Amino acid sequence: DIADPVFWKYGVVANGRAYIGHVKINDRTYGDRILKSPVFQYDVFTEDSYIDVASNDGDAITALAVYGDMLLQFKEKKMFLINISKELEYLEDVRENAGVKNPAAVVKTPFGVAWVNNNGAYLYDGAEIKQLSMGKISDSDWNTNVGGTISNTICGYDPITRQFVVLWDGSHNGSNRGKAYVFTFDTGVWHYVSDMITSADTNCTNMVTTSDGKLIIGGGTANTEVLSYQDRGADSTIDIVTGALSMGNPGMRKTLTNVKVRYKYGGSDLAVKIISNDDTDDIGVDTETLSGYLDDTSGNMHTKEYSTLGIADLKNQYWFQVQIAGTAHQSFELDEIVLTYRETGVR
């Protein structure tokens, strides 16, 4: 009834019903209650048709999402997984410390519902909840970069590149504005971008995907500006570092003898470096810059090969890291890195 409206902060539609959370009905406010509509009556709600999985816990609903027959209810501290496949809904799982501060930190993708908080990035894929950042971004880095501005963190999904974008700070005056982590579903790899939004004079909106598959966000130089996610139009500075590669045998010393890098579109100063140092008397890291740059920008697949025989810093080491850094062509693609080594002894 127009004379008796229902107010709500978060809502989704699934299985022929509308579900709304953090509601006000009959002049009563329920911060932790979900109301559900009758089937195919998306604008009708009554006070006695609701879902209460954790009432009076001092934590209000901050977002709702749906994937398949599962309704994800987020609070600041917890995430509740509710099965809505039948007439009577029931709670399937509760995840502590998996809540969100704001709804812009939650996004639906073809791979499931993804979200972030100050503990990391998560994905519910319809079968299980995965931690996407664990073992890939250190807890300290995540907490410093994302956790410090989590109330202003904004997430989006780009269907064209199949990438999950985590903008650290969508406010206009934050120290981390314009910076982002990007997760690529094809490879399961994260990378960091320092200039996702080059100017942030106004607060940003949440990210949305248009009907033609473009990821957009409002804000930037003016509150009327709309920015779209797209490929770079010029060369940029990159820094790619692998994890510590022990070749499957961390207890054996190795001597690196050869390195091959297969790529498209390099750069005139794009250098390949090998990092390794297990000298306990020296907490620094030795970096050996190999001779020659990845300077082929023809667009053809190209292999650069480096002989590392005779390089003292790459002898009798337990692990190696490969770093590729410098100015790269806008279309740079890294296809493969191959290390050839010889085992020389145990600890």
Side-chain angles (χ1 to χ4, degrees):
D1 194 319
I2 194 170
D4 191 20
V6 177
F7 302 90
W8 49 276
K9 287 189 175 183
Y10 317 106
V12 292
V13 174
N15 296 347
R17 297 182 188 269
Y19 296 87
I20 57 175
H22 202 134
V23 299
K24 181 179 180 181
I25 183 170
N26 297 328
D27 289 327
R28 287 183 283 272
T29 300
Y30 301 95
D32 56 4
R33 177 168 292 184
I34 298 173
L35 298 184
K36 64 177 183 176
S37 74
V39 176
F40 302 130
Q41 298 183 55
Y42 303 116
D43 59 349
V44 176
F45 299 96
T46 60
E47 199 167 359
D48 60 355
S49 182
Y50 64 89
I51 303 173
D52 242 350
V53 293
S55 60
N56 300 319
D57 62 353
D59 202 2
I61 295 172
T62 55
L64 292 177
V66 66
Y67 192 73
D69 289 328
M70 292 296 173
L71 176 65
L72 286 74
Q73 174 186 287
F74 294 92
K75 295 187 176 183
E76 285 199 19
K77 298 176 182 178
K78 301 176 183 179
M79 191 280 290
F80 301 85
L81 197 60
I82 305 168
N83 192 309
I84 57 172
S85 62
K86 301 185 181 344
E87 178 68 22
L88 294 178
E89 302 82 3
Y90 59 92
L91 182 65
E92 279 212 356
D93 196 5
V94 180
R95 289 299 173 101
E96 299 282 347
N97 303 311
V100 298
K101 290 285 187 179
N102 74 85
V106 183
V107 63
K108 189 174 182 179
T109 80
F111 309 97
V113 176
W115 70 95
V116 300
N117 60 23
N118 56 352
N119 299 317
Y122 300 82
L123 177 74
Y124 172 68
D125 63 2
E128 60 179 335
I129 298 172
K130 300 177 181 178
Q131 228 282 11
L132 297 179
S133 55
M134 183 182 297
K136 297 179 179 180
I137 302 175
S138 71
D139 291 342
S140 58
D141 282 349
W142 185 275
N143 191 263
T144 298
N145 298 330
V146 180
T149 56
I150 194 63
S151 295
N152 299 323
T153 300
I154 300 172
C155 296
Y157 173 75
D158 180 56
I160 299 173
T161 60
R162 294 175 295 281
Q163 290 181 329
F164 173 43
V165 180
V166 181
L167 187 66
W168 297 358
D169 189 351
S171 67
H172 74 281
N173 59 355
S175 60
N176 285 330
R177 64 184 184 273
K179 300 176 181 179
Y181 285 133
V182 180
F183 178 80
T184 303
F185 280 97
D186 290 3
T187 60
V189 172
W190 289 91
H191 68 272
Y192 158 69
V193 179
S194 63
D195 56 351
M196 183 62 68
I197 297 177
T198 55
S199 179
D201 297 328
T202 62
N203 294 333
C204 292
T205 67
N206 58 304
M207 296 187 206
V208 297
T209 304
T210 64
S211 58
D212 57 351
K214 291 184 179 180
L215 179 64
I216 61 173
I217 188 172
T221 58
N223 56 19
T224 57
E225 184 175 32
V226 176
L227 307 173
S228 62
Y229 191 61
Q230 56 188 306
D231 292 337
R232 292 185 178 276
D235 295 353
S236 60
T237 301
I238 66 169
D239 190 351
I240 302 171
V241 183
T242 69
L245 306 174
S246 63
M247 319 304 180
N249 193 348
M252 184 73 71
R253 290 183 180 272
K254 302 103 181 164
T255 293
L256 192 65
T257 60
N258 191 269
V259 178
K260 291 181 183 177
V261 178
R262 195 164 181 256
Y263 68 97
K264 286 183 181 179
Y265 297 106
S268 59
D269 69 345
L270 194 60
V272 179
K273 304 177 182 179
I274 305 297
I275 303 170
S276 188
N277 187 351
D278 279 329
D279 184 353
T280 56
D281 296 328
D282 182 1
I283 62 172
V285 177
D286 290 337
T287 303
E288 183 65 41
T289 302
L290 304 183
S291 177
Y293 299 101
L294 306 181
D295 56 359
D296 188 292
T297 56
S298 65
N300 298 321
M301 191 64 72
H302 190 74
T303 300
K304 183 75 175 181
E305 186 170 357
Y306 308 88
S307 174
T308 55
L309 287 170
I311 299 177
D313 290 339
L314 303 182
K315 292 181 178 180
N316 299 318
Q317 301 289 345
Y318 290 114
W319 54 264
F320 304 98
Q321 288 179 279
V322 181
Q323 180 183 30
I324 298 177
T327 302
H329 187 276
Q330 65 196 54
S331 300
F332 173 70
E333 294 182 17
L334 178 61
D335 184 71
E336 187 177 43
I337 300 173
V338 179
L339 302 184
T340 304
Y341 65 97
R342 182 177 65 250
E343 291 184 344
T344 58
V346 296
R347 293 181 186 270

